[in-house]
Amino acid sequence: MQRTLLSVFLFFFSILTILAQQPKKLNTSEIFEAVQKLNVLGSVLYVAAHPDDENTRLISYMSNKVKARTAYLSLTRGDGGQNLIGPEIRELLGVIRTQELLAARGVDGGEQMFTRANDFGYSKHPDETLEIWNKDKVLSDVVWAIRKFKPDVIINRFNHRNPGSTHGHHTSSAMLSMEAFDLANDSSKYSEQLEHMDTWKPTRLFFNTSWWFYGSQENFEKADKSKMLNFDVGVYYPQKGLSNNELASLASSQHLCQGFGRLTQRGSQQEYVEFLKGDFPEDKTDIFSGIDTSWGRVKGGQAIGDILNNIEKHFNFRNPESHISELLKAYQLLQGITNEHWKAVKSKELKAIIEACTGLYLEVSSNTPTVSGGGSIELNIEALNRSNTTLKLESYTISTNNEIVEKNTVLEANQKQNFKASVSIPKDMETTAPYWLADQGTLGMYKVDEQKLIGLPETPRSIRVTFKLLINETTAISLTKNVVYRYSKPDKGELYRPLEIVPEVSASISDKVFIFENDQQKEISVLVKAGRNNLEGHISLNHPEGWNVYPSQQKINISNKGESQTLAFTVIPPKFQNEGYIIPKVNINGKIYSKEIVEIDYSHIPFQTVLLPSKSKIVRLDIQKRGENIAYIEGAGDVVPESLQQIGYNVVRIKPEDITAENLARFDAVVVGIRAYNIVDALKYKQQLLFDFVENGGNMIVQYNTSRRIKVDHIAPYSLTLSRDRVTDEFAEVRFLNTKHELLNYPNAITAKDFEGWTQERGLYFPNAWAPEFTALLSLNDKGESPKDGSLLVAKHGKGHYIYTGLSFFREFPAGVSGAYRLFANMLSIGKDNVNLNKKLND
Ligand SMILES: [Zn+2]
């Protein structure tokens, strides 16, 4: 069901977004809106923690109704979330969610900013968050965002006053915003930034409150609103044919990987902001009250405003070109003002309007989507003046060599001009992959040293062409275009991709984790991909001590760019439990490469090429197991089946309709995927069959489900109450409640060591009450909380065992955590020896 809905959304958005990836050209109505916006010199910065935290209704309202320059500062890129549309997690998910934010801003008209904070996963308290993040660095980045964007008004999504009531990242975002509000204007703070940017004093700070923060609509109605401003964010925009909240829904529906596709909303709707800091607005209907947001704000602005306000007042919808000479006059005056901030912001806006009024089509496309340093590309430059304005292309400059190519060509009305250019790419040119992933960061922070890159949503394109145009024989304007790659697909039409610089070679190992359950060797293959033609070199595999890899080195020979070669290595594990990483080292003329290229291709965002360190974990397990055949019932999706196959189990995925007594009899154990009872309706009718299977000697292992929206009346054969108890600290001490229990001793003796190296968390949604038939085996808790004993519960039921566990095996398996495998093997094996024993005795 979910899948169908999703494909419907993907279908609609593919229409919207294929167009969105094309460089945008404004129509008359959009030009008029741009002129209206040009005449507002006010700005709003919205601050929260994750992609999708942002209130698009308010961002859209500020951008489209108030016409303020509006930005969303998301402290993180959302690496820690879940992906509902594909396999990408962690860094790669952060790349997708970054692009989804940009797509959302493309709809609501906002801009997008970030910090270096990494979304490391769920955090209960800002104290923990700010310890894992480098608080000082993130605060510095928020200060940087304020100094750079220079907002008059800042709006926090979250309440800084109630730590512990929501995700720690959320509260932290509000707390940091509160601090940065004051620090941004203090030149003694983060003074290294002042080399690039002035200090800035925002006028006021708000919290975007709602009834939700008051527990109920009733409470909110009674609340003191003397310090609150409210806006009707349901206003209608006739120029767009859309209500503001409709537009906002379209924007937040861009967050597809989080399943945020949703129905649009219309009609009057109030949005509230609570005043926190700065100058209280005298006029409560105006968020900019007391701030001059007209051209009068900047010295020399009045004359510019006179021209532009007149254009706005008498805008010619039939022929916007008629405003060109006035627009040029305003542009010339604008170049003379001393306020560098507004000069830069408004020049960019004004140039886009002038370009649109002439219908100018200026595009630089490459003959290839990718190129590596030292290579070359052919550019096709298309210049077309679709107006009667006199446009002269004086010259263009390509950023790779900054050579000025004189043209001095008049662009006649509607006569297309094409130029070709061959471009050599400098050998040391940086790749265009996401800059924040270039160096290894920490759990809580990306490593970005270059101040100017910090906060940018994307890596700036390094191959650009700057055109110098003379308009109406009076005004010189330069326009810079990134190079694009244009192609078509029979079923999709014309498509665009950014031109990307990739390394000359990349290498990826087939899997991220290899589990060796005994001392048998495994063959591991490495895919080497050429970023240029005629690639020659050799490859070896770095490995931990005690392991052996054959052959030690292999030759690489690939003729064509984009082609790849697969090389197999034999990996021999040591005799005892041991783990480490293998890393491919590709040597091309003495230069060593060990990164892999990951391509991300969805229709709602531009094509992404990501470079990541190429490495895989190899684990030699000391593991014993009983039983052989496992049935797996799918839930929200986890890699438990593949992981159990890696340790030698025979795993069969069974659909709810195939759950019959007869089918189940073939298995030693049934494993239920995460959240299966939350999302699979059909399981309602299968529970009794599963319990019968346990009674007859099978083992049933149920992984975590959330306490709300459970589709079955009885999740276990004995009473069991799920709660929201979770232990997010992956280092939390694990105490054994019943050291003698079979599950902790057989066939593997589980010790504290098996809980070392866990990742992201210990577990979630533990039961907090259970029938006496259950035995609780482990006790653990986060710092300062009471012990949680429900993470692993086992009950003998008939001849078999029922086990409920909220431990995060689904996170530990893909990370190759050996203790998680050993404990899971015990869960599958429980009672199995006795069965064999009994059989033997009966024979
Ligand atoms: Zn969030």
Side-chain angles (χ1 to χ4, degrees), residues 461-481:
R461 298 284 146 184
S462 43
I463 306 185
R464 302 173 307 272
V465 180
T466 300
F467 297 88
K468 255 185 89 179
L469 294 149
L470 189 69
I471 308 181
N472 270 357
E473 294 173 350
T474 56
T475 312
I477 280 187
S478 66
L479 295 170
T480 298
K481 302 286 171 188

Short mmCIF file of all heavy atoms in Angstrom, two decimals, residues 461-481:
data_model
loop_
_atom_site.label_atom_id
_atom_site.label_comp_id
_atom_site.label_asym_id
_atom_site.label_seq_id
_atom_site.Cartn_x
_atom_site.Cartn_y
_atom_site.Cartn_z
N ARG A 461 30.58 24.84 -8.12
CA ARG A 461 31.08 24.28 -9.38
C ARG A 461 32.35 25.01 -9.79
O ARG A 461 32.40 26.25 -9.73
CB ARG A 461 30.03 24.44 -10.47
CG ARG A 461 28.75 23.71 -10.17
CD ARG A 461 28.93 22.22 -10.41
NE ARG A 461 28.12 21.48 -9.44
CZ ARG A 461 28.12 20.15 -9.34
NH1 ARG A 461 28.89 19.43 -10.14
NH2 ARG A 461 27.39 19.55 -8.44
N SER A 462 33.34 24.25 -10.19
CA SER A 462 34.62 24.90 -10.50
C SER A 462 34.77 25.26 -11.97
O SER A 462 35.60 26.08 -12.33
CB SER A 462 35.77 24.00 -10.05
OG SER A 462 35.51 22.68 -10.40
N ILE A 463 33.97 24.65 -12.84
CA ILE A 463 34.05 25.04 -14.26
C ILE A 463 32.85 25.91 -14.60
O ILE A 463 31.71 25.44 -14.65
CB ILE A 463 34.12 23.80 -15.18
CG1 ILE A 463 35.26 22.90 -14.71
CG2 ILE A 463 34.32 24.24 -16.63
CD1 ILE A 463 35.51 21.72 -15.59
N ARG A 464 33.11 27.20 -14.79
CA ARG A 464 32.05 28.18 -15.07
C ARG A 464 32.48 29.05 -16.24
O ARG A 464 33.67 29.19 -16.52
CB ARG A 464 31.84 29.09 -13.85
CG ARG A 464 31.48 28.41 -12.56
CD ARG A 464 31.46 29.42 -11.41
NE ARG A 464 32.70 30.17 -11.32
CZ ARG A 464 33.75 29.78 -10.63
NH1 ARG A 464 33.72 28.64 -9.95
NH2 ARG A 464 34.84 30.51 -10.59
N VAL A 465 31.48 29.61 -16.88
CA VAL A 465 31.79 30.54 -17.97
C VAL A 465 31.14 31.88 -17.64
O VAL A 465 29.96 31.94 -17.29
CB VAL A 465 31.29 30.01 -19.32
CG1 VAL A 465 31.63 30.99 -20.44
CG2 VAL A 465 31.90 28.64 -19.61
N THR A 466 31.94 32.94 -17.69
CA THR A 466 31.41 34.28 -17.40
C THR A 466 31.31 35.07 -18.70
O THR A 466 32.29 35.18 -19.44
CB THR A 466 32.32 35.00 -16.40
OG1 THR A 466 32.36 34.21 -15.20
CG2 THR A 466 31.78 36.38 -16.06
N PHE A 467 30.11 35.58 -18.96
CA PHE A 467 29.85 36.34 -20.19
C PHE A 467 29.80 37.82 -19.88
O PHE A 467 29.18 38.23 -18.90
CB PHE A 467 28.51 35.91 -20.80
CG PHE A 467 28.48 34.47 -21.20
CD1 PHE A 467 28.10 33.49 -20.29
CD2 PHE A 467 28.84 34.09 -22.48
CE1 PHE A 467 28.07 32.15 -20.66
CE2 PHE A 467 28.82 32.76 -22.87
CZ PHE A 467 28.43 31.78 -21.94
N LYS A 468 30.44 38.60 -20.74
CA LYS A 468 30.33 40.06 -20.60
C LYS A 468 29.42 40.57 -21.69
O LYS A 468 29.69 40.37 -22.88
CB LYS A 468 31.71 40.71 -20.70
CG LYS A 468 32.22 41.18 -19.35
CD LYS A 468 33.51 41.93 -19.47
CE LYS A 468 33.26 43.43 -19.68
NZ LYS A 468 34.55 44.16 -19.77
N LEU A 469 28.33 41.18 -21.27
CA LEU A 469 27.35 41.68 -22.24
C LEU A 469 27.25 43.19 -22.14
O LEU A 469 27.36 43.76 -21.06
CB LEU A 469 25.97 41.09 -21.94
CG LEU A 469 25.83 39.58 -22.14
CD1 LEU A 469 24.82 39.02 -21.17
CD2 LEU A 469 25.45 39.26 -23.58
N LEU A 470 27.03 43.82 -23.28
CA LEU A 470 26.75 45.25 -23.27
C LEU A 470 25.29 45.41 -23.70
O LEU A 470 24.90 44.97 -24.78
CB LEU A 470 27.69 45.99 -24.23
CG LEU A 470 27.59 47.51 -24.11
CD1 LEU A 470 28.15 48.00 -22.77
CD2 LEU A 470 28.33 48.19 -25.27
N ILE A 471 24.49 46.00 -22.82
CA ILE A 471 23.06 46.08 -23.11
C ILE A 471 22.70 47.52 -23.45
O ILE A 471 23.15 48.46 -22.77
CB ILE A 471 22.24 45.58 -21.91
CG1 ILE A 471 22.74 44.19 -21.50
CG2 ILE A 471 20.75 45.53 -22.25
CD1 ILE A 471 22.01 43.56 -20.36
N ASN A 472 21.90 47.68 -24.51
CA ASN A 472 21.48 49.01 -24.96
C ASN A 472 22.66 49.96 -25.20
O ASN A 472 22.52 51.17 -25.03
CB ASN A 472 20.53 49.66 -23.93
CG ASN A 472 19.09 49.32 -24.22
OD1 ASN A 472 18.80 48.67 -25.22
ND2 ASN A 472 18.19 49.78 -23.37
N GLU A 473 23.80 49.39 -25.50
CA GLU A 473 25.03 50.15 -25.76
C GLU A 473 25.45 51.02 -24.59
O GLU A 473 26.28 51.92 -24.72
CB GLU A 473 24.87 51.03 -27.03
CG GLU A 473 24.71 50.16 -28.27
CD GLU A 473 24.38 50.95 -29.52
OE1 GLU A 473 24.09 52.16 -29.40
OE2 GLU A 473 24.42 50.36 -30.60
N THR A 474 24.84 50.76 -23.40
CA THR A 474 25.15 51.64 -22.26
C THR A 474 25.71 50.89 -21.06
O THR A 474 26.59 51.38 -20.37
CB THR A 474 23.89 52.36 -21.76
OG1 THR A 474 22.91 51.36 -21.44
CG2 THR A 474 23.34 53.32 -22.78
N THR A 475 25.17 49.70 -20.82
CA THR A 475 25.44 49.08 -19.53
C THR A 475 26.11 47.72 -19.70
O THR A 475 25.59 46.85 -20.40
CB THR A 475 24.12 48.90 -18.75
OG1 THR A 475 23.42 50.14 -18.81
CG2 THR A 475 24.38 48.52 -17.30
N ALA A 476 27.26 47.55 -19.06
CA ALA A 476 27.95 46.26 -19.09
C ALA A 476 27.47 45.41 -17.93
O ALA A 476 27.41 45.87 -16.79
CB ALA A 476 29.46 46.48 -19.00
N ILE A 477 27.10 44.19 -18.26
CA ILE A 477 26.64 43.26 -17.22
C ILE A 477 27.33 41.94 -17.45
O ILE A 477 27.45 41.49 -18.60
CB ILE A 477 25.11 43.11 -17.29
CG1 ILE A 477 24.46 44.31 -16.60
CG2 ILE A 477 24.64 41.82 -16.66
CD1 ILE A 477 22.99 44.22 -16.44
N SER A 478 27.80 41.32 -16.38
CA SER A 478 28.39 40.00 -16.56
C SER A 478 27.47 38.95 -15.96
O SER A 478 26.87 39.17 -14.90
CB SER A 478 29.78 39.94 -15.95
OG SER A 478 29.67 40.08 -14.56
N LEU A 479 27.34 37.84 -16.67
CA LEU A 479 26.51 36.73 -16.21
C LEU A 479 27.37 35.47 -16.19
O LEU A 479 28.08 35.20 -17.17
CB LEU A 479 25.32 36.52 -17.14
CG LEU A 479 24.29 37.66 -17.21
CD1 LEU A 479 23.31 37.41 -18.35
CD2 LEU A 479 23.54 37.78 -15.89
N THR A 480 27.30 34.72 -15.09
CA THR A 480 28.13 33.52 -14.99
C THR A 480 27.24 32.28 -15.02
O THR A 480 26.21 32.23 -14.34
CB THR A 480 28.94 33.56 -13.68
OG1 THR A 480 29.79 34.71 -13.74
CG2 THR A 480 29.80 32.32 -13.53
N LYS A 481 27.63 31.30 -15.82
CA LYS A 481 26.84 30.06 -15.95
C LYS A 481 27.71 28.86 -15.61
O LYS A 481 28.84 28.75 -16.06
CB LYS A 481 26.33 29.91 -17.38
CG LYS A 481 25.46 31.06 -17.86
CD LYS A 481 24.08 31.02 -17.23
CE LYS A 481 23.29 32.28 -17.53
NZ LYS A 481 22.04 32.36 -16.80
#
